[in-house]
Amino acid sequence: MREDVENLDITDVTANWVNAAVLQHQIDERIKALADLSHTPLFFGRLDYLRPPNRPRPDIADKAEGAEGERFYIGRRHVHDAEGDPMVIDWRAPVSQPFYRASKKDPMDVGLRRRFGYTSGDLTAYEDEHLSDPSEAAATSKLLQQEIERPRVGPMRDIVATIQPEQDEIVRAGLTGSVCVQGGPGTGKTAVGLHRVAYLLYAHRERLARTGTLVIGPNQSFLHYIEQVLPALGELEVKQATVDDLVAHVEVRGTDDATAAVVKGDARMAEVLRRAVRSHVTLPTEGVVVVRGSRRWRVPAYELETIVGELLDRDIRYGAAREALPQRIAHAVLVQMERSGEAPDDRVQDAVARNTAVKAAVKAIWPPVDPAKLVLRLLTDADFLAVHADGILDEDEQKEILWSKPVRSVKSAKWSPADAVLIDEATDLVQRTHSLGHVVLDEAQDLSPMQYRAVGRRCTTGSATVLGDLAQGTTPWATRSWDEALAHLGKGEAVIEELTAGFRVPTDVIAYASRLLPHIAPGLTPVASVRENPGFFEVRPTTADEQVVDACEELLRNEGSVGLIAADARIPALTEALAATGLTYLGPGEETTAQTRLTLVPASLAKGLEYDYVVLDEPQAVVDGEPDERTGLRRLYVALTRAVSGLTVTHAAPLPQQLA
């Protein structure tokens, strides 16, 4: 299929060089989408229907004649032969859906479901389920278990061969509705979100090609880890970003303490900013006189005041209202012209709107607003902040966000990430933010209300898939409930789904980590591991950093990747210990290889990552590294649940009492 595209001759099919360039670009993109992945099989399953799908059930006469169904091979991509006949059906096609949903209770007209096992791209096994045969008992798929437990080296891979029924329902949910997925560690929520994007692009390609799609992750390490999933499914146009990337109107060089960051991230700041923006509007005290030829036309102050009041009441964007004001003034002049017997047209109105007197009046009444300068004034001018935060923020909260030192300009200011979000809010108050067709927001539980608003602005006319785990919220402003978060996002109507079946974390490991749940997320359903393999788990007292390195070396004797996760403050000491033994390692987000399979991970960057084996150093230090105990315990919960096959907990200090 790729060679067919490469051999296309477009010499005589384009009218000009522009068309030729556009067509060549489309061909190049198609070639990229058909890239050959040597480690990825063309198909992973087979469906034998009892009768042709999407047709009425046959009557008794049809059965007597032995009407037969059809056979389909299911794969990551659609594959056709030289004649154009399908050989492999795309996993997203409707006819493929029973591969994920059919069961002994509901066979969905499937006689046989076959799963294929692969090792390094070679077919090594197959497994059959005769779903419509009452004599065959339902059983857990061994191939599914092997695929889930397969060693992880390199970036995140797709899960199209192992999507579970409850995951498939979310993946195939419609484009018009938003979905929120609450899922504990290893329930596959990130994979579900990415495959949902792939499915929506398949089902609504033209619409999303116009409006765009975006995946938002917590940090660049996470985005690097997941960046190959969609290209492997043939989807190359999906953009990826962090929230900080979205609001990068200024250079971020500063930080806030936890208290200030919580206030700045509070949704009440949106009203403070709205007041501050609108405060620039000054009601007119004198009229406008427009001179055209020998005639003078006067719009009195009371009429200008009425026009300004109407624009304020409409509550449209500040910049849009400012652009409308000269046209409204010009219209008032045209009404006077018509009353005097003239017949002005639209060109006259545009000329009046550009009149020097009108432009001067607009500048005085509705001056331009620079969002960054506005936020800078709020953070440095106590009186300006007090006026616009009156009744919203108390005096202590205002003092928390005020900068102690004066700042000369926007460029010299040491903006924090929370400040950048405020500037983004102010920017949207002045001019509407462009909306995309669909946004996937991962690790959403760590966002502040103002960050939710920033993401929501990017999908006001589209839909969203929100992914997260309330138990893994590791910021002082972490989400308390999904209903509250979705309201800030502007998607209060979103359906909330919960994934409770764990596929990644072994039974013994998730059971140990779940001891923290009553302290960090009371009432949340613990993850139940579906793995038959309980996994390797050990708590090991140590007296020196060299013993932590020994634990890493022991786990490296196994196949797969190893992550050494530690409190951020412990990273320098462990770096020295690793260097002393000559053990090579990578940083989070760097791709593991057969030669280097150890990654040293600060606990603050562990979220969303996974390793076959994990050494967790000093749990109490992880807890102590956060502003409060609850946040620290949530950070520890994240670190404990990164392992796929085994976990070794090393500690010289006593373990947190919550793990006892």
Side-chain angles (χ1 to χ4, degrees), residues 69-90:
E70 295 184 58
R71 172 180 297 171
F72 298 97
Y73 285 89
I74 313 300
R76 288 165 175 78
R77 306 292 309 280
H78 166 82
V79 182
H80 60 247
D81 61 18
E83 283 71 43
D85 294 326
M87 299 174 66
V88 178
I89 305 298
D90 194 299

Side-chain angles (χ1 to χ4, degrees), residues 173-179 196 200 204 207 437-438 461-464 491 493:
L175 175 62
T176 54
S178 294
V179 180
R196 175 159 163 71
L200 292 176
H204 308 277
R207 179 175 173 181
H438 192 77
T461 58
S463 55
K491 302 296 179 186
E493 79 293 345

Side-chain angles (χ1 to χ4, degrees), residues 326-516:
Q327 290 291 334
R328 295 290 298 274
I329 295 173
H331 177 73
V333 172
L334 260 66
V335 170
Q336 294 183 34
M337 290 180 175
E338 290 170 347
R339 286 174 182 165
S340 67
E342 296 188 21
D345 57 17
D346 290 346
R347 289 174 296 177
V348 175
Q349 180 168 331
D350 290 340
V352 173
R354 296 193 300 270
N355 182 273
T356 303
V358 173
K359 290 164 75 172
V362 170
K363 186 175 181 179
I365 298 169
W366 215 292
V369 170
D370 182 298
K373 289 181 179 178
L374 174 77
V375 174
L376 184 63
R377 187 179 176 191
L378 277 173
L379 298 178
T380 56
D381 186 336
D383 294 336
F384 187 68
L385 176 62
V387 169
H388 300 105
D390 182 41
I392 302 175
L393 304 179
D394 60 35
E395 289 186 12
D396 290 338
E397 289 173 322
Q398 292 177 37
K399 289 178 182 176
E400 283 292 341
I401 65 174
L402 277 169
W403 292 355
S404 56
K405 296 180 180 179
V407 179
R408 287 179 298 176
S409 67
V410 168
K411 286 188 177 181
S412 63
K414 290 187 176 180
W415 299 104
S416 70
D419 297 332
V421 177
L422 295 179
I423 294 172
D424 189 71
E425 179 84 26
T427 301
D428 184 70
L429 288 167
V430 174
Q431 188 171 359
R432 184 182 296 277
T433 304
H434 173 68
S435 174
L436 298 165
H438 192 77
V439 170
V440 174
L441 175 61
D442 204 356
E443 301 295 351
Q445 73 280 345
D446 273 341
L447 268 60
S448 70
M450 290 298 285
Q451 287 176 314
Y452 276 116
R453 290 176 62 88
V455 174
R457 285 191 283 278
R458 271 75 186 178
C459 55
T460 50
T461 58
S463 55
T465 299
V466 180
L467 313 165
D469 179 12
L470 296 178
Q472 295 187 61
T474 51
T475 55
W477 51 82
T479 302
R480 292 188 289 262
S481 77
W482 289 122
D483 287 333
E484 182 182 323
L486 292 168
H488 293 311
L489 192 69
K491 302 296 179 186
E493 79 293 345
V495 176
I496 300 176
E497 303 281 0
E498 187 170 10
L499 296 175
T500 57
F503 303 98
R504 184 191 70 211
V505 187
T507 304
D508 291 353
V509 175
I510 196 64
Y512 185 70
S514 293
R515 296 180 185 182
L516 299 175

